[in-house]
Amino acid sequence: MPGLTSSESDELAIVPFSGDSEKQPVVIYPVRHGLKSPINRLSISWGCGNTLRVSAFPKPHGEAGGGGRVVEVKLSNSGDDEEVDAATWRRIAYSSVTPFALLQSRKHSGMSLDNPPYKADWWEHVIEYSKEISSLLSDRKPPPKPIIEDPKSVVNEIAEPTCLKAAWELLEIFYVDKQSQSWIPERLLDWLADYSSLFSGTLPTIHSRLVDFQQELGGVQVVEEDPNYWDAMSSALAVGWLEIVVKLLRLHGSYRFDQLVSRETENGLVEAVAVLISKMPRMRPSLREENLGECCKTKPDFLKAWEKWRAQISKLDCSSYWLQCDHQQTKEGLKNLIQIMLGNPSVLSNATFNWMELFISHFLYVRPFTAGLESMHNLAQKCMQSKPVSSPHKLFGLILGILGENTEVVLAECSRSFGPWMMAHAVELLTAGNTHAEILLHEEHSKLGGVSIEELHRLVYAQVLSSHALTWQIAPIYLTSCIKQGIGLLENLLYKQPVQHSQILLKSIEICRLYELDTISSNIMRIAGVHHWKHGRKGSGVFWLQQARDEFRLSRIAKQLFDFVGKSVSDEGFKQWEGLIELLGSESRTAGGLEFLNKYRNFRRSLLQVHGDTPTDAARNASEALVSLMKNPSTPQRFWLPLLYDSLKLLNWQERLLLNVSQTQLLLNKLQELSMARLRPDFVEADLASDALSSVRLALATTLGRAILEE
Amino acid sequence: MDKGIIDLEEGTTCTAWNYSGRRLASGSTDGTLSLFDSTDPASSLFNCSSKFKVHESGIVKIVWAPPEYGDAVACICADGSLLLWEEVVEDSELLNWKLCKCFDKISSHVLDVQFGISHTSLKLVAAYSDGQVKVFELLDPFELKNWQLQAEFQNVIESVSKFGNVSCQSASIAWNPLKGEIQQSSFVLGFNSDKPQLNSSKVRLVWEFDQDHQRWLPVAELALPTDKGDPVSTVAWAPNIGRPYELIAVATTKEIALWHVGSNPDPDGRLSVEKVAMLSTHDSEVWQMEWDMSGMTLATTGSDGVVRLWQCNLNGVWHEQAVLEPTS
């Protein structure tokens, strides 16, 4: 695959590059464990997302002694970390969700209507998306405008520029904004005006020159005698910062009231240049509020205006007034400005400090009709030759990639410098109207398990989001936009959530419901249920297992509840047990055991009430419950004797007879059956008093006698 | 980017994180198991919540049971015994850890153990120093003490001969991490032994459970005919989030091999395999390999004392992406 430039970055790239792996240097990264003893062994474990936990064990019986340490390494950095801190990244991550999701849903609805999304007006949706993302990349509000404007303030910092935003806007200019295609040079000029300060740290720039000059300006009495004054103006003019030049020109000493008469010609020349500068034709639909120049919306208009403007400059250049101007610095300075406007290459070269500035100045004054990426690329190459840079800024690499129409380089530069967030979001810009990029990004790679580069970057970004407890919840938005592997990763992500925390559990279930992940949802609820059950919260345990529809585990729980049957339990214990039976309900499909438990619960409850206010009624109810239990085939045989033994009090009820003949006979038959069963080897003897059987038999015989007599 | 989160006590030899990465178990030479927890899911502050002695001899490896079966760990001890400990609250007592199963140690040591979930039950595969493999099955999901031996076999294709007195130094097991209900449970296993037959390339096998006949069958061998019998130091099965094939890493003393294993068996029940990469480990032995949650990055560590990260580029070429080097 063609051309990946070098990747001498000191960061961990998570994205597989398309370059030649042999040549790609391996990034060495330190893991600072802070232990004094030498390390004997490491042990590794992946946390959620891109978190790697490394346990470092020192040599046993080492001199320094002490134990090991576990170090958490987050591999998910987002490009250059020094520019944007973690909290800002999270804010960006959160606020970019809505525009991204909106664009995806538009794409989706466009597709479902059999309406190719790349039709004529698709880019309008993308530009809306792009503007929204761009606006959230700088949250700082511009400082309030001073009420009394400082006449000597030249350079205004509007908002803190970031490389991230600068890169985003570059992509927007070249890949998305169809309307600006005809005035790309002007857009680049605006772009440089906004972001020029970014280069100041590493390169000499006009911006830094102007900032320096502004500081100097306060102490200068006669500006026109300061060579820096004229240099600053020619530099600003070269890159089209007309308002700065005009403002500086008006600081010229000849405007001062006391000198106006004596320096009339000189002042006339200064003013003439200032007017010409402010009338410069610009091929663009509109100007920003603070900018100077005359807008021309169409090329013919611009051509006409340009010719006229140039003619006026030439005329001024040849004017005889220059001879009458005595002030040498003013004359030379103004002439220099005129040379810039006439597009004198050597003057332009002197006025600019890096190739990007020279590039812009050529657009403005030498080749105002440059169009097409190829010629722009050629021009850029030429400018770079005349102003080579030792350490290229990362944005320069991106610009060259764009101008060279090399999508691979653009991708690699974005990935290297700006990280997974940029990759996941910028792909939408690259594919908005560029067929080559679209094919490249949407093609499925069998070597990558069948995903496209677009999907790969979303997966990588989602993994980055998953690494943090505050951002994992937004990963599903990106994962569900991945057709091939998104759901698989989402399932893994959900499975790894610590669901014993109820908020995380509820959030996970909500995500499952939203994307119809029923299996994983049951699994999560099962994990929660088992956790609660094992940690003594039996009620929650049963509840979540029911939600998970885990019949298998529920029936196991029901079997455990059998252990209570026949045992004399405390009231407290019975209440807990009763509550669980209640919770388990009787609708369960493995109804056998539960049906019995429900009946048994009724029986036990009425048996307890025998001690209450209306003992006889309660006893009658209890005996009916007993008969019903004994009749029911689901009642396990091993509980027959304990049940009857529990009911001795009912059988021996003195006040009245509670069972009739047939009921008593039924119970006697069961007792008989039990005696037969005892002969079998697998019979399990109930844990009861040794005389239990005989006392039950005696009680039943007595009851039968009484019943026969009564009937 | 790198941050120390837990200080381990002197004598700690192994650590294991649970499924969510919110709980760490560490084992030490005196047989003590320590648990570290964080109360807040967003915090990276971990405190020791329990500490108790699990065995007379030291702990060499800890493996967490799947969370569907509670909070439980299997501990392999230096004397070769295998113990299962579980965190429970019983009869309204306080939370505590109790021993629920001590697997009988007859003549051979347990070298590695891994839990695998099939759609009905929990399985546990243990590899023993005599070259035997045992698969245990849990009978009751709430009772981690009731295990049934489901199968016992040697890690060879034809069970014609037994290898007399075999002794293996280490073994490594990796289950197919897929939790789907359709997929049969399967695992891969490799030994490092003094018998070349057990090391031989023919025995880095993938075993799959045949539900119909209730037996384990070897379905793939991760070796080329030209491979010599290098002992396997560790194996790792990558999570599959949608690839049409499985990806398994096998480390020998010389290299890490990456294998694609097809998902559809041929008429003989065998799966197609393809060796897609041989990664040089720079003459160091690999002790541990871990795949990330997407199965796209492999992290390895070993005798060279660093962590290496491996990735595949768009051309399908695997390469070393980064090295994490410990410094004080």
Side-chain angles (χ1 to χ4, degrees):
Chain A
M1 204 165 275
L4 178 95
T5 52
S6 76
S7 78
E8 294 165 24
S9 62
D10 54 351
E11 47 151 311
L12 275 173
I14 325 290
V15 188
F17 281 128
S18 55
D20 184 353
S21 59
E22 300 279 314
K23 285 176 192 161
Q24 209 168 311
V26 176
V27 183
I28 309 276
Y29 204 83
V31 178
R32 288 174 285 256
H33 52 72
L35 297 175
K36 291 190 185 77
S37 321
I39 296 302
N40 182 34
R41 206 162 53 80
L42 297 177
S43 161
I44 46 179
S45 173
W46 287 97
C48 228
N50 288 315
T51 314
L52 188 68
R53 265 88 173 254
V54 182
S55 305
F57 304 105
K59 286 205 166 70
H61 319 299
E63 282 170 21
R69 182 165 292 160
V70 184
V71 181
E72 187 175 71
V73 185
K74 288 229 192 266
L75 303 175
S76 53
N77 73 357
S78 319
D80 284 340
D81 273 347
E82 71 266 22
E83 192 176 39
V84 187
D85 61 66
T88 312
W89 264 119
R90 282 201 292 279
R91 186 190 56 77
I92 292 176
Y94 263 94
S95 8
S96 40
V97 168
T98 316
F100 179 83
L102 180 66
L103 191 70
Q104 297 308 316
S105 83
R106 278 179 174 162
K107 194 184 277 183
H108 197 71
S109 59
M111 278 174 177
S112 62
L113 293 170
D114 200 18
N115 199 358
Y118 304 107
K119 59 179 186 170
D121 61 347
W122 172 246
W123 69 271
E124 285 178 17
H125 293 308
V126 181
I127 198 106
E128 188 186 323
Y129 159 80
S130 173
K131 296 268 182 237
E132 213 156 314
I133 298 273
S134 178
S135 71
L136 61 90
L137 291 182
S138 59
D139 61 333
R140 293 179 182 82
K141 298 250 169 14
K145 279 202 170 166
I147 299 167
I148 304 165
E149 206 176 334
D150 178 3
K152 291 193 171 178
S153 137
V154 184
V155 187
N156 288 323
E157 299 286 358
I158 297 166
E160 182 120 334
T162 61
C163 287
L164 186 65
K165 190 171 177 175
W168 185 270
E169 288 200 358
L170 271 182
L171 297 178
E172 181 187 299
I173 292 169
F174 284 97
Y175 286 95
V176 193
D177 197 350
K178 290 270 170 14
Q179 281 179 333
S180 72
Q181 295 286 323
S182 54
W183 53 288
I184 279 188
E186 284 279 343
R187 288 214 61 183
L188 268 181
L189 184 152
D190 287 349
W191 181 85
L192 187 69
D194 289 343
Y195 300 108
S196 159
S197 62
L198 291 173
F199 305 116
S200 297
T202 49
L203 293 170
T205 58
I206 293 175
H207 179 266
S208 61
R209 172 62 70 99
L210 286 173
V211 170
D212 290 348
F213 177 65
Q214 175 163 323
Q215 282 172 350
E216 200 182 304
L217 197 57
V220 178
Q221 287 299 318
V222 188
V223 281
E224 61 269 26
E225 309 218 320
D226 181 356
N228 287 342
Y229 170 67
W230 296 103
D231 288 348
M233 281 195 295
S234 53
S235 290
L237 183 62
V239 287
W241 299 346
L242 308 182
E243 52 289 341
I244 292 180
V245 186
V246 171
K247 194 168 184 181
L248 282 173
L249 275 176
R250 299 257 156 86
L251 295 177
H252 193 271
S254 63
Y255 283 98
R256 283 167 62 173
F257 192 64
D258 54 342
Q259 298 185 10
L260 211 53
V261 182
S262 59
R263 301 171 74 177
E264 199 180 350
T265 315
E266 190 185 341
N267 181 249
L269 284 168
V270 173
E271 184 57 23
V273 171
V275 168
L276 276 176
I277 288 173
S278 58
K279 296 265 180 220
M280 179 177 172
R282 319 273 301 252
M283 196 165 67
R284 53 190 293 161
S286 63
L287 277 169
R288 296 181 188 182
E289 193 190 337
E290 68 274 14
N291 290 153
L292 296 174
E294 307 261 301
C295 288
C296 301
K297 288 196 177 94
T298 62
K299 205 166 171 180
D301 284 353
F302 176 70
L303 199 62
K304 217 188 280 173
W306 179 259
E307 295 292 338
K308 192 176 154 202
W309 185 66
R310 272 293 175 89
Q312 286 170 334
I313 297 170
S314 305
K315 198 172 154 198
L316 178 65
D317 194 25
C318 307
S319 157
S320 57
Y321 285 112
W322 295 106
L323 299 171
Q324 297 168 30
C325 178
D326 303 329
H327 197 269
Q328 195 58 29
Q329 277 111 328
T330 302
K331 196 159 110 183
E332 276 171 17
L334 290 178
K335 280 279 194 178
N336 206 41
L337 294 181
I338 286 176
Q339 282 306 308
I340 285 175
M341 287 191 282
L342 289 174
N344 183 327
S346 63
V347 178
L348 286 177
S349 180
N350 288 338
T352 52
F353 299 98
N354 57 54
W355 73 264
M356 187 73 197
E357 289 167 358
L358 184 63
F359 182 60
I360 298 287
S361 72
H362 272 254
F363 274 140
L364 280 173
Y365 304 107
V366 185
R367 296 203 235 162
F369 304 108
T370 308
L373 289 174
E374 201 181 336
S375 53
M376 288 171 83
H377 191 231
N378 290 340
L379 181 59
Q381 298 285 0
K382 264 189 208 146
C383 294
M384 280 181 81
Q385 275 164 16
S386 62
K387 287 199 183 292
V389 277
S390 52
S391 58
H393 193 274
K394 57 188 177 184
L395 285 169
F396 288 172
L398 181 62
I399 293 170
L400 286 176
I402 294 173
L403 295 180
E405 294 181 85
N406 193 336
T407 315
E408 285 92 341
V409 171
V410 173
L411 285 173
E413 288 290 335
C414 283
S415 163
R416 187 160 68 90
S417 310
F418 306 106
W421 176 88
M422 183 68 157
M423 297 311 293
H425 292 87
V427 162
E428 295 297 341
L429 306 187
L430 296 180
T431 54
N434 186 319
T435 324
H436 171 68
E438 200 202 320
I439 293 169
L440 180 80
L441 289 161
H442 289 165
E443 184 194 358
E444 288 172 0
H445 293 262
S446 59
K447 298 270 171 62
L448 286 175
V451 295
S452 62
I453 301 182
E454 176 184 71
E455 178 162 343
L456 176 72
H457 287 303
R458 284 181 193 164
L459 292 172
V460 168
Y461 178 58
Q463 221 173 327
V464 171
L465 292 174
S466 314
S467 312
H468 201 283
L470 297 175
T471 51
W472 76 268
Q473 301 94 323
I474 54 178
I477 311 271
Y478 294 88
L479 288 172
T480 47
S481 74
C482 298
I483 318 159
K484 293 266 177 174
Q485 302 192 346
I487 294 297
L489 190 54
L490 179 56
E491 286 180 350
N492 281 358
L493 169 65
L494 289 167
Y495 184 75
K496 280 176 167 281
Q497 293 309 313
V499 290
Q500 61 272 33
H501 299 281
S502 63
Q503 278 188 331
I504 293 180
L505 174 65
L506 294 177
K507 183 75 202 173
S508 303
I509 293 171
E510 188 193 319
I511 293 171
C512 289
R513 192 177 45 78
L514 210 56
Y515 302 112
E516 296 170 357
L517 303 171
D518 294 342
T519 312
I520 205 86
S521 168
S522 310
N523 209 37
I524 287 169
M525 294 190 281
R526 176 177 306 129
I527 293 172
V530 170
H531 179 85
H532 288 306
W533 178 265
K534 294 243 177 185
H535 287 79
R537 295 179 292 275
K538 307 251 171 196
S540 299
V542 171
F543 174 78
W544 284 114
L545 287 172
Q546 277 177 329
Q547 296 296 307
R549 298 181 194 283
D550 190 335
E551 299 295 339
F552 184 57
R553 281 181 174 75
L554 285 173
S555 69
R556 287 284 164 176
I557 287 179
K559 287 219 174 71
Q560 282 194 11
L561 295 177
F562 278 14
D563 294 348
F564 280 90
V565 175
K567 297 229 174 89
S568 57
V569 286
S570 64
D571 280 3
E572 197 58 39
F574 179 73
K575 263 187 199 144
Q576 198 195 20
W577 182 88
E578 195 186 12
L580 282 175
I581 304 267
E582 199 83 55
L583 208 59
L584 280 166
S586 53
E587 292 158 29
S588 189
R589 263 181 283 143
T590 50
L594 279 178
E595 192 189 350
F596 159 71
L597 282 173
N598 269 298
K599 283 187 190 301
Y600 179 71
R601 181 205 51 196
N602 295 339
F603 165 69
R604 279 299 290 253
R605 200 184 273 160
S606 34
L607 205 58
L608 283 174
Q609 283 165 355
V610 165
H611 306 289
D613 296 335
T614 52
T616 307
D617 288 349
R620 168 162 288 285
N621 289 339
S623 59
E624 268 162 20
L626 172 71
V627 170
S628 144
L629 260 176
M630 295 301 282
K631 261 189 192 162
N632 197 308
S634 71
T635 305
Q637 198 185 42
R638 61 192 163 107
F639 297 132
W640 290 354
L641 190 59
L643 282 172
L644 289 169
Y645 190 65
D646 272 355
S647 318
L648 268 183
K649 195 188 281 170
L650 303 175
L651 300 178
N652 296 328
W653 202 256
Q654 289 307 316
E655 286 153 43
R656 52 170 298 195
L657 201 58
L658 298 172
L659 298 166
N660 61 28
V661 178
S662 63
Q663 284 170 331
T664 320
Q665 266 167 351
L666 171 94
L667 298 183
L668 273 169
N669 286 342
K670 290 279 181 190
L671 210 59
Q672 186 62 27
E673 217 175 297
L674 203 61
S675 307
M676 301 293 286
R678 293 179 82 168
L679 301 174
R680 290 211 304 269
D682 60 341
F683 182 80
V684 184
E685 197 75 52
D687 182 21
L688 291 172
S690 56
D691 63 340
L693 183 66
S694 55
S695 43
V696 168
R697 188 175 287 141
L698 179 66
L700 281 176
T702 320
T703 312
L704 183 65
R706 284 171 65 189
I708 290 171
L709 281 177
E710 258 185 34
E711 282 174 21
Chain B
M1 187 142 146
D2 52 336
K3 187 166 97 176
I5 49 172
I6 296 173
D7 285 336
L8 302 166
E9 280 193 11
E10 194 168 353
T12 305
T13 49
C14 55
T15 52
W17 287 93
N18 77 342
Y19 76 104
S20 62
R22 304 307 305 166
R23 208 154 202 217
L24 179 84
S26 76
S28 71
T29 44
D30 64 354
T32 306
L33 188 76
S34 305
L35 274 302
F36 296 86
D37 283 294
S38 78
T39 42
D40 177 5
S43 136
S44 58
L45 201 71
F46 289 83
N47 292 312
C48 183
S49 60
S50 326
K51 194 175 156 189
F52 49 93
K53 207 166 166 78
V54 297
H55 199 59
E56 292 310 314
S57 70
I59 304 171
V60 291
K61 180 163 184 166
I62 303 169
V63 180
W64 283 90
E68 290 88 339
Y69 295 87
D71 283 56
V73 291
C75 299
I76 302 173
C77 296
D79 65 355
S81 50
L82 173 62
L83 308 158
L84 266 183
W85 283 78
E86 186 190 19
E87 183 185 64
V88 274
V89 172
E90 275 185 333
D91 303 330
S92 55
E93 276 173 17
L94 288 174
L95 192 72
N96 70 335
W97 283 80
K98 65 158 194 169
L99 175 68
C100 38
K101 174 85 182 171
C102 179
F103 287 85
D104 290 334
K105 183 175 74 108
I106 300 152
S107 57
S108 51
H109 291 184
V110 174
L111 297 176
D112 194 15
V113 63
Q114 290 294 336
F115 292 96
I117 301 183
S118 72
H119 56 282
T120 47
S121 68
L122 180 66
K123 291 196 166 85
L124 184 148
V125 181
Y128 289 80
S129 57
D130 61 358
Q132 289 290 110
V133 183
K134 288 184 187 173
V135 184
F136 297 93
E137 194 172 29
L138 187 67
L139 297 175
D140 181 331
F142 287 107
E143 296 290 344
L144 288 174
K145 58 176 184 270
N146 295 339
W147 292 87
Q148 191 177 49
L149 182 64
Q150 190 196 35
E152 184 176 3
F153 47 85
Q154 273 186 317
N155 194 37
V156 287
I157 291 180
E158 287 131 4
S159 56
V160 278
S161 62
K162 296 253 172 183
F163 297 115
N165 281 330
V166 179
S167 92
C168 303
Q169 288 89 55
S170 69
S172 179
I173 305 163
W175 282 86
N176 179 351
L178 201 90
K179 287 171 283 292
E181 286 179 7
I182 331 125
Q183 192 111 356
Q184 289 299 352
S185 51
S186 48
F187 64 87
V188 60
L189 171 63
F191 273 108
N192 175 0
S193 140
D194 64 344
K195 286 270 187 230
Q197 294 97 315
L198 268 178
N199 288 336
S200 112
S201 48
K202 286 216 181 298
V203 290
R204 296 163 201 166
L205 290 183
V206 179
W207 293 88
E208 188 171 280
F209 190 63
D210 174 5
Q211 197 72 42
D212 298 337
H213 302 96
Q214 292 286 307
R215 60 182 178 169
W216 287 90
L217 295 174
V219 289
E221 35 187 300
L222 304 181
L224 298 176
T226 51
D227 279 349
K228 303 216 172 55
D230 294 323
V232 172
S233 55
T234 176
V235 292
W237 195 314
N240 187 352
I241 56 171
R243 271 182 269 106
Y245 48 84
E246 295 296 328
L247 183 58
I248 301 176
V250 179
T252 59
T253 46
K254 288 178 186 154
E255 57 169 34
I256 300 167
L258 294 180
W259 291 87
H260 284 182
V261 179
S263 21
N264 295 320
D266 66 10
D268 297 339
R270 290 303 180 89
L271 302 174
S272 63
V273 295
E274 185 194 357
K275 192 177 191 173
V276 293
M278 291 206 309
L279 311 173
S280 162
T281 57
H282 310 287
D283 291 326
S284 63
E285 199 181 331
V286 175
W287 292 333
Q288 198 192 358
M289 297 193 288
E290 295 286 327
W291 288 99
D292 73 339
M293 67 189 262
S294 64
M296 292 198 275
T297 309
L298 177 69
T300 65
T301 182
S303 59
D304 53 1
V306 297
V307 180
R308 297 179 193 278
L309 301 181
W310 309 84
Q311 281 181 339
C312 175
N313 68 12
L314 298 184
N315 300 332
V317 178
W318 283 86
H319 59 100
E320 193 173 350
Q321 180 74 33
V323 175
L324 279 72
E325 225 168 52
T327 61
S328 53

